Amino acid sequence: MKHLLLLTILISITACAPSGRYSMRHDAAPLRAPLPEEMQDVAVTSEKKSISASRPYEVHGKRYQPLHSEVGFSQTGIASWYGRKFHGYATSNGEPYDMFAMTAAHKTLPLPSFVRVTNLENGNTAVVRVNDRGPFHDDRIIDLSYAAAYKLGYHRTGTAKVKIEALVPETNHHKAYIQIAAAQSIEHLGVLAKTLTAEHQVDSKIVKKDGIYRLRLGPIDNAQVAKELLDKIKANSHENAFMLYSD
């Protein structure tokens, strides 16, 4: 009888125990409001990008390709927030998630990166540090921490229409280059360099590293010009082109 009673208790405990990665099944707001000092805009600093978080990944059968650079990035869409369910668990950047820190999750921005988020419904703004991946809903573009959502004024409604603008440090004097292609032979890249330089009126150079030749256009001082040129080049048969920086 004692063994039967013990088995019944164990089954009951197991049935109530949380399953999966998180201890909470559904997300929830914290038990207190963020403090004013917790809602201060973060300082935009120069940080080394996460190598692991820059690799392509797949969630729910959909494949995502992280961006090589956030320079010139902007996006408009729906923002949501995440709170207690994820608090203390590792973000995609490897850091513990803090619902009272000014952070955010984005599907493709480099980690970490910094963005200004504007609530288009009330004009409130917040500068946050992107250190996580998500939200994995087609109708949402960014997941903010609870503190950031509170500052933007949509912590009660759960979502809001926002504009995201990537920020880079003002002290960052690195020059932007667009890497077009890499090859073991310089001949083809030389011809391509002359063609692209003439077409886009931008200097080009070929650098060699680890036995591989790389064709780059630049330097380009204006971030928006660099972004527009990259988009044009990617649309014109060089879809693997990407932005990089040099002193």
Side-chain angles (χ1 to χ4, degrees):
M1 186 67 179
K2 290 181 180 180
H3 292 296
L4 180 60
L5 179 59
L6 179 59
L7 179 60
T8 302
I9 293 173
L10 287 174
I11 291 174
S12 178
I13 292 174
T14 303
C16 296
S19 61
R21 179 185 176 194
Y22 305 105
S23 61
M24 293 177 63
R25 184 175 182 182
H26 300 291
D27 201 4
L31 301 178
R32 67 169 177 85
L35 302 173
E37 55 267 29
E38 292 173 325
M39 293 186 288
Q40 295 294 317
D41 288 346
V42 298
V44 180
T45 60
S46 179
E47 294 190 48
K48 185 177 181 179
K49 305 302 184 186
S50 168
I51 295 176
S52 60
S54 66
R55 300 188 183 104
Y57 65 98
E58 187 173 306
V59 176
H60 303 318
K62 186 171 182 178
R63 191 168 178 80
Y64 298 91
Q65 173 63 63
L67 300 171
H68 291 285
S69 170
E70 69 272 33
V71 174
F73 179 88
S74 66
Q75 189 178 22
T76 299
I78 301 299
S80 50
W81 60 261
Y82 59 135
R84 285 170 58 194
K85 177 179 178 179
F86 305 92
H87 186 71
Y89 289 90
T91 63
S92 299
N93 209 29
E95 304 162 351
Y97 171 63
D98 183 352
M99 59 185 168
F100 293 114
M102 295 290 281
T103 61
H106 191 274
K107 301 180 188 76
T108 58
L109 278 170
L111 302 185
S113 56
F114 299 86
V115 296
R116 177 186 293 109
V117 185
T118 303
N119 186 339
L120 298 178
E121 298 169 7
N122 59 21
N124 292 351
T125 65
V127 176
V128 299
R129 180 172 176 269
V130 180
N131 68 342
D132 204 3
R133 290 289 177 227
F136 298 109
H137 300 272
D138 291 338
D139 61 339
R140 301 176 191 176
I141 62 170
I142 194 168
D143 235 354
L144 296 183
S145 67
Y146 184 78
Y150 197 101
K151 182 174 184 178
L152 289 178
Y154 72 89
H155 58 291
R156 295 187 185 278
T157 58
T159 60
K161 187 174 183 180
V162 301
K163 181 178 181 180
I164 304 171
E165 299 169 282
L167 303 175
V168 294
E170 292 182 2
T171 56
N172 185 356
H173 298 296
H174 291 183
K175 299 174 182 177
Y177 290 85
I178 297 174
Q179 180 155 315
I180 304 297
Q184 294 182 331
S185 173
I186 195 173
E187 284 76 18
H188 171 68
L189 293 183
V191 174
L192 183 58
K194 291 180 181 179
T195 300
L196 292 176
T197 295
E199 181 179 352
H200 300 291
Q201 297 300 301
V202 178
D203 291 337
S204 63
K205 67 177 183 177
I206 298 174
V207 297
K208 184 180 181 181
K209 183 178 180 182
D210 301 327
I212 300 296
Y213 295 95
R214 295 169 172 84
L215 169 59
R216 296 169 180 173
L217 295 185
I220 306 168
D221 295 327
N222 186 292
Q224 185 60 39
V225 171
K227 173 66 167 55
E228 291 174 358
L229 179 57
L230 176 61
D231 290 342
K232 185 184 297 184
I233 289 172
K234 291 179 71 172
N236 187 23
S237 303
H238 299 287
E239 62 275 5
N240 292 323
F242 61 90
M243 199 88 69
L244 54 82
Y245 301 91
S246 177
D247 293 329

